[in-house]
């Protein structure tokens, strides 16, 4: 078993890993590096294509597979979940693997299809939708290799541990996850299933390292629901505007927001194309229980028409919108810069049911947005949120269950990955022998 750590081993995002078993290569994820994407979006003269994305480092540089002569041996591509830092880059690179099938759980594949449609990119790759917790034989494999997408909780639905069952033992891809034993939508992880995989033998695990140094639990979605209930209770002025923002792909969180919003007797309006995209994808697979309880406005003219009315009817609506990271041209960004008919007033409410993604561009953008809103007098409730990445207890539980021979931390800078190396020492792992800090490529 040979590994090429293509991306996501020196930063948060740009995730991509290649695994070679004899003469067969398998790819795991192919995501965006979001700061690079933002840089490209802010340069209107630069084309949004493979060349431009590569120039700003927004996608994994999988040309290393050409140097290794692995590219022609790729048999399948696996997508772990629907977040852009795991699936966003594949539409721009899949043509380099003509005819190679792409596997993923239902929501993940709907999101990938939506991204491909938005970018108007035609691909020849067959799309194979898998059910979780069921092994699938790879038809193109001559070694009887199977893949299994094991259900795990995260901050989007249909998230999976991707397990490649090979003659050399299993390769266990654990990006991204936390163990939430009290989800409010979907099932918790089957720990017996993970133990069985460990009993069969795991050769190597690539593991989500974020928050490996955090001792306290990152909480469950049930905890997040309680936090939201308290935040809603604080926003009591029935004549003030009421906005809330969260991750567009967090269907479980959005479901809980809608449940609480309906109790206020206000009409629930979703604003933004990103929210519309993910809700449409969830609806197509029957996993959007709130779709018929909300109204979605995604086009600029629709949004502005509604925001014009909102000035006079602020107490009638709860608005769920994009912009929690202070992203340029998001709904909240445009309102804060006076580019919409609606203007926040002192006493209006805004709940951030999210955290700031820990990259410099996001931190600075959110600080700028918060300052503008606070100067106006908007009542901000921040971090009404639980993280989708497990703290140290989740890392220890996974290590104990699967008992991999070797581990590699991923999804962070080298400094962010070191805490997982320290945690692994408690389980007998030795740096450089059975635990490994690696670079991209």
């Amino acid at each position: 078993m040979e590994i090429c750590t293509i991306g996501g081993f020196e930063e948060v995002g740009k995730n991509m890993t290649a695994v070679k078993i004899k003469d067969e290569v398998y790819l795991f994820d192919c995501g965006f590096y979001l700061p690079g994407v933002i840089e490209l979006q802010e340069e209107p003269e630069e084309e949004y294509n493979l060349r431009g994305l590569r120039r700003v480092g927004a996608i994994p540089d999988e040309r290393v597979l050409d140097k290794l002569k692995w590219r022609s041996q790729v048999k399948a591509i696996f997508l772990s979940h629907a977040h852009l830092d795991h699936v966003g880059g594949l539409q721009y690179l899949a043509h380099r693997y003509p005819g190679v099938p792409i596997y993923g759980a239902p929501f993940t594949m709907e999101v990938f299809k939506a991204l491909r449609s938005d970018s108007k990119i035609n691909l020849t790759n067959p799309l194979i939708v898998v059910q979780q917790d069921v092994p699938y034989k790879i038809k193109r494999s001559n070694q009887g290799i199977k893949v299994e997408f094991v259900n795990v909780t995260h901050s989007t639905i249909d998230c999976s541990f991707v397990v490649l069952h090979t003659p050399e033992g299993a390769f266990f891809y654990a990006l991204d996850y936390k163990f939430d034993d009290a989800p409010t939508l979907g099932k918790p992880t089957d720990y017996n299933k993970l133990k069985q995989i460990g009993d069969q033998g795991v050769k190597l695990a690539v593991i989500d390292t974020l928050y490996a140094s955090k001792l306290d639990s990152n909480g469950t979605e049930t905890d997040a629901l309680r936090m939201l209930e308290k935040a809603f209770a604080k926003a009591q002025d029935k004549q003030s505007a009421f906005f809330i923002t969260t991750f567009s792909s967090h269907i479980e969180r959005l479901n809980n927001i809608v449940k609480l919003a309906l109790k206020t007797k206000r009409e629930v309006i979703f604003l933004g194309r990103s929210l519309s995209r993910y809700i449409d994808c969830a609806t197509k697979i029957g996993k959007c229980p709130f779709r018929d309880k909300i109204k979605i406005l995604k086009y600029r003219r629709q949004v502005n028409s509604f925001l014009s009315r909102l000035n006079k009817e602020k107490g009638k609506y709860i608005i769920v919108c994009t912009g929690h990271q202070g992203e340029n041209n998001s709904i909240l960004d445009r309102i804060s810069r006076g580019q919409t008919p609606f203007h926040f007033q002192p006493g209006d409410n805004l709940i951030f049911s999210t955290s700031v993604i820990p990259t410099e561009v996001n931190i600075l953008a959110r600080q700028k947005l918060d300052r503008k809103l606070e100067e106006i007098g908007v009542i901000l409730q921040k971090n009404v949120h639980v993280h989708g990445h497990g703290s140290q207890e989740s890392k220890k539980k996974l290590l104990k269950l699967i008992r991999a021979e070797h581990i590699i931390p991923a999804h962070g800078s080298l400094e962010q990955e070191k805490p997982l190396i320290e945690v692994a020492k408690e389980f007998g792992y030795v740096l450089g022998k059975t635990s490994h800090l690696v670079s991209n490529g």
Side-chain angles (χ1 to χ4, degrees), residues 20-21 27 38 65 81 152 180 198 201 228 244 246 263-265 298 319 326 328 338 340 352 362 365 391 398 400 441:
K20 186 170 185 282
I21 311 294
L27 303 183
I38 292 168
L65 300 181
H81 65 287
V152 69
D180 185 343
L228 282 166
I244 187 164
T246 191
K263 292 179 181 179
T264 69
K265 308 300 182 185
K298 64 178 180 178
I319 298 94
N328 186 46
T340 74
F352 286 95
N362 292 98
S391 59
L398 183 63
K400 186 176 180 179

Side-chain angles (χ1 to χ4, degrees), residues 52-317:
L53 289 163
R54 276 182 169 155
R55 186 186 66 77
V56 296
I59 55 174
D61 190 356
E62 41 70 74
R63 289 174 291 185
V64 63
L65 300 181
D66 294 320
K67 297 175 185 176
L68 295 171
K69 296 182 169 45
W70 285 17
R71 182 158 69 96
S72 63
Q73 297 175 301
V74 173
K75 300 296 182 183
I77 301 168
F78 308 120
L79 297 176
S80 63
H81 65 287
H83 284 155
L84 291 179
D85 56 340
H86 294 261
V87 304
L90 184 55
Q91 58 189 313
Y92 297 97
L93 290 169
H95 70 277
R96 286 173 42 81
Y97 306 90
V100 173
I102 300 167
Y103 292 72
F107 183 67
T108 308
M109 296 305 279
E110 285 298 333
V111 170
F112 175 68
K113 286 190 285 185
L115 293 171
R116 185 188 62 182
S117 175
D118 288 350
S119 60
K120 297 180 174 58
I121 293 176
N122 294 317
L123 299 173
T124 63
N125 307 76
L127 303 183
I128 300 176
V129 179
V130 303
Q131 298 306 311
Q132 292 180 309
D133 300 320
V134 178
Y136 287 80
K137 187 178 185 305
I138 306 300
K139 291 181 180 178
R140 293 162 61 97
S141 172
N142 296 318
Q143 303 178 54
I145 289 175
K146 297 180 180 179
V147 67
E148 188 170 4
F149 287 71
V150 178
N151 170 62
V152 69
T153 45
H154 182 40
S155 52
T156 191
I157 56 174
D158 280 0
C159 186
S160 306
F161 290 139
V162 187
V163 185
L164 195 68
H165 297 282
T166 85
E168 306 292 322
F171 172 73
F172 196 102
Y173 187 76
L175 299 182
D176 298 339
Y177 83 101
K178 74 172 178 184
F179 290 131
D180 185 343
D181 294 332
T184 60
L185 187 67
K187 301 181 298 183
T189 302
D190 184 346
Y191 297 129
N192 288 330
K193 164 76 73 174
L194 297 181
K195 184 177 182 302
Q196 288 170 8
I197 291 170
D199 291 343
Q200 292 164 7
V202 175
K203 187 77 171 178
L204 169 66
V206 171
I207 299 176
D208 174 5
T209 191
L210 282 184
Y211 304 109
S213 62
K214 188 172 184 289
L215 297 178
D216 296 335
S217 169
N218 273 342
T220 68
E221 274 305 305
T222 299
D223 296 326
L225 177 57
R226 294 192 190 105
M227 295 167 71
L228 282 166
E229 288 172 340
K230 292 178 181 177
F232 270 68
K234 290 179 182 177
Q236 296 224 350
D237 187 343
K238 294 183 179 180
Q239 301 308 313
S240 295
F242 192 149
F243 280 68
I244 187 164
T245 182
T246 191
F247 295 100
S248 297
S249 59
H250 203 332
I251 302 300
E252 183 177 10
R253 181 71 53 78
L254 291 169
N255 187 49
N256 287 330
I257 288 169
V258 172
K259 285 180 183 177
L260 295 174
L262 291 173
K263 292 179 181 179
T264 69
K265 308 300 182 185
R266 295 188 183 211
E267 188 177 343
V268 187
I269 307 293
F270 278 49
L271 302 181
R273 291 192 179 192
S274 178
L275 282 163
S276 176
R277 173 197 294 148
Y278 288 107
I279 289 169
D280 284 349
C281 291
T283 302
K284 286 178 181 177
I285 62 166
K287 293 187 178 180
C288 188
F290 57 88
R291 179 63 188 90
D292 62 350
K293 300 177 177 67
I294 64 169
K295 185 173 183 180
I296 303 175
L297 305 175
K298 64 178 180 178
Y299 298 113
R300 183 71 63 95
R301 186 176 296 176
Q302 289 178 316
V303 170
N304 283 343
S305 176
F306 167 74
L307 290 176
S308 181
R309 297 200 314 272
L310 183 63
N311 280 312
K312 299 176 182 178
E313 302 178 308
K314 292 198 292 186
K316 186 178 177 180
Y317 303 100

Side-chain angles (χ1 to χ4, degrees), residues 413-424:
S413 65
L414 292 176
E415 283 302 310
Q416 289 171 312
E417 291 168 353
K418 287 178 181 177
L420 183 56
I421 295 292
E422 292 302 309
V423 170

